[in-house]
Amino acid sequence: MQTTDYPFEPYIHEKLSEDDMMRRSKDYLDKMRRRRSIRTFSTEEVPLPIIQNIIETAASAPSGANKQPWTFCVVRDPDIKRKIRSAAEKEERMSYDHRMSDDWLEDLKPFGTNWEKPFLEIAPYLIVVFKKSYDLIEGKKYKNYYVNESVGIACGMLIAAIHNAGLVTLTHTPSPMRFLEEILGRPENERAYLLLPVGLPAERVKVPKLEKKTLNQVFKLF
Ligand code: IYR
């Protein structure tokens, strides 16, 4: 029941048969299961409008009170990419050498990662997602709600849209990420949330052999 004087509009629902729901849910599962995090990129160019469609998909995500507390910065300028790589590697070198625990380093062995991040220069685009814990309008602060949940959901949709477009990415979180705010000159209400290199995979790229948990391990019916 509508309990507000604010405008509502009809929701256009495409009703599917059970057969279609079954087929489409299984097709989507198969498609999403083929997604992998990729760390070795091709330098092949990707048209910007594809990246813009992907970002508009992510920006259609639900958010607390529809505040849409995010900015998606897309970096294709080689000089800025070089700056980001250099700053990220400086942090990552300290993390791998001193900040990460032995258990953490052990857990990362299957992925073969280290402090070097060449993908930050090689991938045609870096998408840097910023979260806004408040909006800043004419110097006044307006609080946003459920910001981490909202931006996390948008990033999930972003990753699905990247995969759907035939591109690959990596959820990269150099830590700490303050350098991204500085390099990209973001306003004081924006904090870096996630960095995703986006492009095509290098030829004959290999990915670690990993298992996902089975349905029984992650699903409980009550
Ligand atoms: N941020 C580092 C370390 C790292 C941490 C986790 I948890 C990973 O799943 C992968 C890497 C890096 O990017 O190398």
Side-chain angles (χ1 to χ4, degrees):
M1 200 186 39
Q2 195 173 328
T3 56
T4 172
D5 291 333
Y6 284 80
F8 270 51
E9 62 189 1
Y11 169 64
I12 312 298
H13 180 241
E14 182 198 0
K15 174 107 187 172
L16 300 178
S17 67
E18 270 185 28
D19 281 353
D20 283 347
M21 285 195 264
M22 184 58 75
R23 187 172 39 77
R24 283 173 55 158
S25 60
K26 181 66 169 67
D27 286 351
Y28 195 65
L29 168 61
D30 292 343
K31 184 182 193 78
M32 291 307 287
R33 271 192 174 148
R34 287 196 298 272
R35 185 204 57 79
R36 295 300 309 262
S37 291
I38 297 295
R39 295 185 165 80
T40 317
F41 286 78
S42 157
T43 55
E44 192 175 331
E45 290 298 323
V46 173
L48 183 61
I50 297 171
I51 302 298
Q52 289 172 313
N53 282 341
I54 286 166
I55 287 174
E56 278 198 84
T57 303
S60 75
S63 61
N66 192 36
K67 294 287 185 180
Q68 305 165 62
W70 43 58
T71 303
F72 300 88
C73 291
V74 174
V75 181
R76 62 175 176 182
D77 180 313
D79 292 334
I80 304 177
K81 286 201 276 181
R82 193 174 317 117
K83 279 191 192 135
I84 290 177
R85 176 182 178 181
S86 152
E89 286 185 336
K90 207 169 135 201
E91 294 294 351
E92 290 291 271
R93 197 195 270 269
M94 284 194 274
S95 293
Y96 276 87
D97 286 353
H98 314 292
R99 295 197 283 232
M100 289 154 75
S101 66
D102 289 345
D103 280 350
W104 193 351
L105 292 170
E106 192 63 31
D107 279 339
L108 288 182
K109 279 187 181 164
F111 307 92
T113 59
N114 62 26
W115 61 270
E116 286 180 291
K117 305 296 170 192
F119 55 76
L120 293 174
E121 279 190 90
I122 293 170
Y125 297 100
L126 306 179
I127 301 179
V128 190
V129 184
F130 290 89
K131 67 173 181 183
K132 299 167 156 187
S133 55
Y134 57 93
D135 283 330
L136 199 52
I137 301 163
E138 290 166 3
K140 205 169 170 304
K141 292 182 180 181
Y142 299 87
K143 208 186 137 23
N144 290 326
Y145 315 99
Y146 298 101
V147 170
N148 280 323
E149 293 83 347
S150 301
V151 181
I153 291 165
C155 284
M157 291 176 60
L158 181 70
I159 292 163
I162 290 167
H163 179 63
N164 181 58
L167 299 171
V168 298
T169 189
L170 168 71
T171 45
H172 181 46
T173 51
S175 175
M177 291 202 278
R178 293 304 288 262
F179 67 88
L180 292 166
E181 293 145 31
E182 282 155 30
I183 293 173
L184 299 174
R186 302 315 303 153
E188 64 171 58
N189 62 328
E190 293 194 11
R191 290 285 166 271
Y193 184 86
L194 206 58
L195 167 49
L196 300 105
V198 181
L200 289 155
E203 269 179 55
R204 290 181 295 281
V205 72
K206 289 194 175 175
V207 291
K209 263 192 164 186
L210 303 176
E211 296 286 339
K212 292 293 179 189
K213 290 181 181 174
T214 62
L215 182 63
N216 275 338
Q217 289 174 293
V218 300
F219 166 81
K220 300 289 168 213
L221 183 63
F222 294 93

